[in-house]
């Protein structure tokens, strides 16, 4: 699965999207199928027990789903908009969790590394702001052998915003900074 894909790129707007991977959909399907199988082969013949087994498989699959995520850098509005939706939020409630910040406050773009025991190394692209806070482009890191895909996204953002790259090591492995 790609970390994030470029959905739109113009001189004024840069939009990245991330959607659940095939693995995520297969886990949902597999766990739902397991719940239905347990319900169908259960020796208990009550309808309520069978319904509970099927819904438990569906619920467990729902919990394991990845999110739909979007990052929009909009120069015309001067805003960075980060949006994410879980499976239920997207299809049942039509709810989006949105974070909005000022675009001109971005001073640095880094690729952060997170080592997860027994799972490997995950990477995230992080936007650093002049007021000291940071926003990750996605709510979770993606696992990769090398951070090259993440670094490519960071370089595209740096070029879009006109940031200069620097060699200082203040936030992470891959750096950039605001041009004077």
């Amino acid at each position: 699965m790609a970390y994030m894909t470029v959905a739109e790129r113009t001189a004024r707007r840069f939009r990245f999207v991330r959607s659940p991977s095939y693995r995520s959909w297969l886990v949902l399907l597999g766990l739902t199928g397991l719940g239905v199988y347990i319900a169908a082969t259960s020796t208990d013949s009550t309808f309520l027990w069978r319904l509970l087994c099927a819904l438990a498989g569906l619920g467990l699959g729902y919990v394991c789903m990845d999110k739909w995520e979007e990052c929009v850098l909009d120069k015309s509005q001067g805003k960075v908009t980060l949006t994410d939706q879980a499976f239920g939020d997207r299809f049942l409630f039509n709810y989006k969790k949105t974070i909005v910040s000022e675009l001109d406050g971005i001073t640095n773009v880094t690729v952060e590394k997170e080592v997860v025991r027994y799972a490997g190394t995950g990477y995230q692209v992080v936007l650093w702001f002049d007021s000291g806070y940071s926003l990750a482009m996605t709510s979770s890191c993606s696992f990769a052998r090398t951070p090259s895909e993440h670094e490519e996204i960071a370089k595209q953002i740096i070029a879009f915003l006109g940031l200069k790259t620097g060699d200082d090591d203040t936030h992470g492995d891959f750096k950039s900074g605001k041009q004077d």
Side-chain angles (χ1 to χ4, degrees):
M1 179 181 109
Y3 174 62
M4 292 193 93
T5 57
V6 176
E8 175 186 358
R9 182 170 187 166
T10 64
R12 306 293 300 158
R13 186 175 158 99
F14 205 179
R15 184 172 154 247
F16 296 93
V17 294
R18 181 180 188 186
S19 57
S21 65
Y22 292 116
R23 181 192 66 200
S24 185
W25 287 106
L26 290 175
V27 167
L28 174 68
L29 184 64
L31 290 174
T32 302
L34 180 65
V36 169
Y37 174 76
I38 291 171
T41 60
S42 174
T43 57
D44 189 4
S45 62
T46 62
F47 174 74
L48 190 59
W49 174 251
R50 290 181 180 196
L51 181 64
L52 180 68
C53 288
L55 289 177
L58 179 65
L60 191 56
Y62 161 74
V63 170
C64 295
M65 282 290 290
D66 292 333
K67 295 180 179 181
W68 282 265
E69 296 178 290
E70 179 181 55
C71 177
V72 179
L73 306 168
D74 195 339
K75 287 182 179 177
S76 60
Q77 294 181 353
K79 294 182 180 178
V80 177
T81 307
L82 302 169
T83 305
D84 75 16
Q85 283 183 302
F87 183 80
D89 296 339
R90 185 176 181 102
F91 294 111
L92 300 176
F93 308 117
N94 197 21
Y95 170 76
K96 290 182 181 182
K97 178 183 157 193
T98 304
I99 299 171
V100 179
S101 187
E102 295 297 320
L103 186 66
D104 59 353
I106 296 175
T107 59
N108 208 359
V109 179
T110 63
V111 175
E112 298 292 321
K113 177 168 102 169
E114 182 179 342
V115 178
V116 180
R117 182 180 285 181
Y118 308 118
T121 304
Y123 299 95
Q124 271 183 308
V125 176
V126 178
L127 308 173
W128 292 89
F129 292 83
D130 53 6
S131 57
Y133 70 96
S134 63
L135 289 175
M137 285 182 58
T138 57
S139 60
S140 61
C141 61
S142 64
F143 294 98
R145 294 175 193 245
T146 64
S148 60
E149 184 178 357
H150 300 78
E151 288 173 351
E152 181 61 35
I153 289 173
K155 287 177 185 175
Q156 289 179 15
I157 293 171
I158 289 167
F160 179 74
L161 296 176
L163 300 175
K164 66 175 182 170
T165 57
D167 294 330
D168 62 329
D169 197 17
T170 55
H171 297 300
D173 297 326
F174 183 79
K175 306 285 172 264
S176 73
K178 199 119 177 132
Q179 283 183 347
D180 295 331

